[in-house]
Amino acid sequence: MTLLVASSLLSPHFGLIFWTLIVFAILLFVLGKYAWGPMVGALDEREKTIEESLTRAESALEEARKMQEDNEAARRDAERQAQSILRDARDASDQLRTEEVEKTKAQLAQMQEQARADIEREKTQALTALRSEVASLAIGAAGKILDENLDDDRQRKLVDSFLDDLPQN
Amino acid sequence: MFLVPRLRTLPAFLLSLFAVVLLAGPVSAQGHEDAQDVVHEEELDALHHSADGFYLDFTPGPKVQLPRIFVVRGEDGGLGFKFFGSTTAAVESGEFVAGAAHGEDPEAHGAPDDHGEAASTESAEAHADPLEAGIVPAHGEIVADLSFTRHTIFMMLAALMLLIIFLPLGAKYRKGIGRTSAPKGRLQNAMEALVIYVREEIAKPTMGDKYAKYMPYLLSAFFFILFGNLLGLFPFGATMTSNIAVTAVLAGFTFVVTQFAGTKDYWGHIFNPPGVPFLVKFIMVPIEFLGIFTKPFALAIRLFANMTAGHLVILSLIGLIFSFGQIFGDAVGWGTSLAAVPMTVFVYCLELLIAFIQAYVFTILSALFIGMAAAEHEHHGHDDHHDQTAHEKAVQVSSGMSTDGNGQIYHEPEKTVGTEAVLALAPA
């Protein structure tokens, strides 16, 4: 009996074959059209979108990194430039000041020199004028002496006192 | 009230429901025995429970008879449709009488009062239950029996569930949920995971670039089988995939799809195997030709046998309770249930696993056969032994070999159901 029941397990029922054929064919068609199609299509699309946005994000990140690097480089460059300008300015100002001081010193020295020369000249002129004055005075005095016939001693005394009266310079 | 939170976790709910039914089963049967004291009523025939029938079995509730549809050739030779609401109605109409259907022995479902005479159907007909013994027309003969059976109903139920679940999901994806945004809801996420699994683990590795064309078939087959397998695990359910008719039709679909996918190379390999000496071709061609049919045949048998076996084990374990109870008395029967019920629950969990594994196995083998047939490759030269074509690779993979990319072939350990289970369980 068991064997015979087992044979019923193995003998396919025609109706079931028939219905399975129909039902599965319908299932395949309907699900293929209205379920699997949209599902698989949507999954593909979503994956593509995700992949694309990942690639985009990556490239954007890359771009941003590059931009940051550029910025950094530019900043560093600008800093370097500013520093060099500052240094140049400092150097220039230093130089300018030194030059200015030198010039002033030179000018002062020149002015001093000039003043000294002026004084010297004035002095020489004064002395010259003085000598000529003294000479003419002496000549006048001599004339007067000659007029009055002074003796030798008196003459000597006169001249000496005159010379003493003269200013030393 | 306390059941409400439990209902939220489906697996736990299923298990508890199953346990309740399992525990209720022996109790009611034991009570039955006390009342009637008939040994035969006690018998739990595992094979009979796995087999198909023209009724839904809600034991200990009623049996619900299913409609009978026949294409009948009358005595005058004309074809006609006969439709009855139930087997009983068919017999009561007088057009059909209980008896052996399609050459089945009337003893097959033997009532105790059978005479055992195959020829004396008249005496058997009078007593046999038409539901079990089958019916034959009083006049004329049955050309085709299109009657609904238990498995037909559950097959249609599985199909209906597929439609109910996946058509709204498809509409959801069409609307853009899951297309441009993330999938919403548990159902969509769960089903999407399975769909992606079929695509990534089944279709792509076996078919390469051509997978998209065969996705609808693979998905339909996978979910149809999966739902069919799972429906059989519900109380009062029946496993349509444990019926050879269903698995044969599914394998038939794989067969047809494979042949339509077949390229020139596929047919060339069958009818003119390249690189084979002329005389050997006389042996190779018939073998290759037979191979076209043995592959789907193996598919059908594998699914049928696996799904039947699991249920037979469960039913046999439960049957142990009654067998021991019958031989050694009620107390031993109850004692046996202490061991048999946990074992049954274990096998039931195993069945749950197998429901997924067999759906996976059927689908991946179908994909492999289709992929092998659809593979195209250049013709074999004398010096391209190292240039492996997709077809050759597919053949090697199917026979447990694999290549390491440089054309070097190495053996992979043979895949058994055990390793399949491990592979299926392993996180991707």
Side-chain angles (χ1 to χ4, degrees):
Chain A
M1 172 181 158
T2 308
L3 196 71
L4 288 166
V5 176
S7 83
S8 86
L9 266 185
L10 281 171
S11 63
H13 182 240
F14 176 77
L16 186 50
I17 294 180
F18 177 78
W19 292 118
T20 310
L21 205 63
I22 288 179
V23 167
F24 192 71
I26 293 172
L27 201 67
L28 199 57
F29 176 76
V30 173
L31 283 183
K33 192 155 183 194
Y34 296 104
W36 308 134
M39 271 180 100
V40 174
L43 287 179
D44 283 344
E45 202 179 302
R46 204 171 78 203
E47 257 157 43
K48 223 170 72 186
T49 315
I50 290 172
E51 202 166 315
E52 267 172 16
S53 38
L54 273 182
T55 317
R56 250 202 325 264
E58 212 153 294
S59 71
L61 195 71
E62 193 61 39
E63 212 168 294
R65 200 170 287 141
K66 209 167 144 244
M67 214 182 272
Q68 202 185 12
E69 259 166 38
D70 284 355
N71 283 351
E72 186 74 10
R75 194 181 61 81
R76 221 171 280 142
D77 206 39
E79 217 163 74
R80 208 169 32 241
Q81 236 166 355
Q83 240 157 18
S84 94
I85 288 170
L86 205 65
R87 200 169 43 239
D88 283 357
R90 204 180 291 132
D91 286 357
S93 80
D94 276 359
Q95 204 181 353
L96 202 67
R97 198 168 47 214
T98 333
E99 268 172 24
E100 209 57 33
V101 167
E102 291 296 319
K103 217 157 62 186
T104 318
K105 264 186 192 163
Q107 234 167 3
L108 275 175
Q110 206 186 353
M111 277 158 74
Q112 229 171 3
E113 201 63 35
Q114 211 168 359
R116 201 171 285 135
D118 279 354
I119 293 166
E120 201 64 32
R121 199 175 54 246
E122 294 292 320
K123 191 171 134 190
T124 319
Q125 264 177 359
L127 275 178
T128 312
L130 192 67
R131 264 178 226 287
S132 64
E133 189 78 5
V134 167
S136 59
L137 282 174
I139 288 162
K144 269 178 195 172
I145 292 162
L146 283 175
D147 284 347
E148 285 179 24
N149 278 325
L150 293 176
D151 64 5
D152 224 23
D153 274 348
R154 252 185 98 176
Q155 273 182 2
R156 175 75 30 209
K157 249 187 188 148
L158 198 67
V159 173
D160 278 350
S161 72
F162 174 72
L163 283 177
D164 282 342
D165 284 350
L166 281 180
Q168 283 304 306
N169 272 329
Chain B
M1 289 301 274
F2 68 91
L3 261 177
V4 175
R6 266 195 207 173
L7 283 170
R8 298 178 57 153
T9 50
L10 190 64
F13 170 65
L14 286 183
L15 276 179
S16 54
L17 201 63
F18 186 72
V20 167
V21 171
L22 269 187
L23 292 169
V27 172
S28 68
Q30 295 277 355
H32 212 55
E33 184 199 32
D34 292 343
Q36 300 203 349
D37 206 21
V38 178
V39 174
H40 184 75
E41 291 285 313
E42 269 284 311
E43 232 170 53
L44 195 146
D45 186 344
L47 280 174
H48 181 239
H49 276 259
S50 307
D52 210 354
F54 297 105
Y55 56 89
L56 297 176
D57 195 349
F58 291 108
T59 310
K63 286 179 178 178
V64 177
Q65 293 199 23
L66 295 168
R68 307 293 305 252
I69 306 162
F70 298 99
V71 180
V72 184
R73 191 192 303 281
E75 278 176 328
D76 53 348
L79 288 173
F81 265 104
K82 300 275 183 204
F83 182 89
F84 302 100
S86 67
T87 307
T88 313
V91 174
E92 277 169 0
S93 73
E95 291 180 61
F96 285 84
V97 288
H102 289 299
E104 262 185 51
D105 198 298
E107 276 183 288
H109 313 284
D113 53 351
D114 252 357
H115 295 304
E117 289 284 321
S120 64
T121 41
E122 277 85 355
S123 61
E125 273 165 27
H127 305 285
D129 179 1
L131 262 184
E132 301 294 350
I135 51 178
V136 290
H139 311 286
E141 55 169 344
I142 295 173
V143 177
D145 181 359
L146 301 180
S147 308
F148 283 17
T149 63
R150 201 161 41 232
H151 287 155
T152 316
I153 293 298
F154 276 91
M155 182 267 295
M156 289 177 170
L157 194 62
L160 195 69
M161 283 176 68
L162 274 181
L163 291 177
I164 288 172
I165 289 177
F166 284 105
L167 285 184
L169 270 191
K172 228 172 161 183
Y173 278 99
R174 210 186 274 269
K175 259 190 284 172
I177 303 167
R179 183 180 288 270
T180 48
S181 67
K184 239 188 233 164
R186 288 181 199 183
L187 185 70
Q188 193 180 7
N189 272 300
M191 291 306 148
E192 192 184 289
L194 287 174
V195 170
I196 290 176
Y197 183 82
V198 170
R199 191 183 60 169
E200 299 299 319
E201 305 297 325
I202 294 177
K204 276 187 183 171
T206 52
M207 296 180 170
D209 299 334
K210 296 182 170 181
Y211 79 94
K213 199 167 139 195
Y214 304 103
M215 277 303 280
Y217 173 66
L218 294 180
L219 286 169
S220 301
F222 179 79
F223 283 105
F224 187 57
I225 293 169
L226 180 63
F227 279 43
N229 293 349
L230 291 177
L231 276 178
L233 295 176
F234 281 89
F236 308 120
T239 321
M240 59 101 162
T241 40
S242 71
N243 193 306
I244 190 89
V246 175
T247 61
V249 170
L250 286 170
F253 270 94
T254 295
F255 173 78
V256 171
V257 173
T258 308
Q259 306 324 313
F260 274 103
T263 57
K264 215 165 61 189
D265 293 322
Y266 168 70
W267 297 110
H269 263 269
I270 291 166
F271 292 111
N272 186 19
V276 171
F278 181 71
L279 285 175
V280 181
K281 282 185 185 177
F282 285 104
I283 307 167
M284 287 294 284
V285 171
I287 291 174
E288 291 279 351
F289 184 72
L290 273 179
I292 302 175
F293 302 99
T294 51
K295 284 175 203 160
F297 181 75
L299 271 186
I301 296 294
R302 177 182 296 108
L303 183 57
F304 154 73
N306 271 292
M307 295 323 293
T308 307
H311 285 65
L312 286 184
V313 170
I314 285 187
L315 288 163
S316 301
L317 282 173
I318 297 176
L320 278 181
I321 300 169
F322 300 104
S323 299
F324 279 106
Q326 218 171 320
I327 297 168
F328 301 109
D330 285 0
V332 178
W334 279 96
T336 311
S337 71
L338 288 180
V341 169
M343 275 205 289
T344 310
V345 172
F346 169 71
V347 175
Y348 179 85
C349 294
L350 204 64
E351 277 278 278
L352 207 59
L353 183 65
I354 287 169
F356 281 90
I357 291 172
Q358 286 309 317
Y360 166 75
V361 167
F362 186 96
T363 316
I364 196 166
L365 288 178
S366 294
L368 200 64
F369 297 153
I370 296 167
M372 276 161 65
E376 280 169 27
H377 50 88
E378 328 77 53
H379 277 281
H380 297 259
H382 291 292
D383 53 352
D384 62 354
H385 296 297
H386 298 293
D387 276 344
Q388 289 211 308
T389 61
H391 179 83
E392 285 169 312
K393 280 178 195 157
V395 170
Q396 279 163 3
V397 169
S398 72
S399 53
M401 318 259 274
S402 192
T403 57
D404 61 2
N406 297 323
Q408 296 292 103
I409 299 166
Y410 63 85
H411 261 284
E412 271 185 357
E414 200 183 332
K415 283 182 185 172
T416 61
V417 174
T419 54
E420 277 164 5
V422 172
L423 286 175
L425 283 177

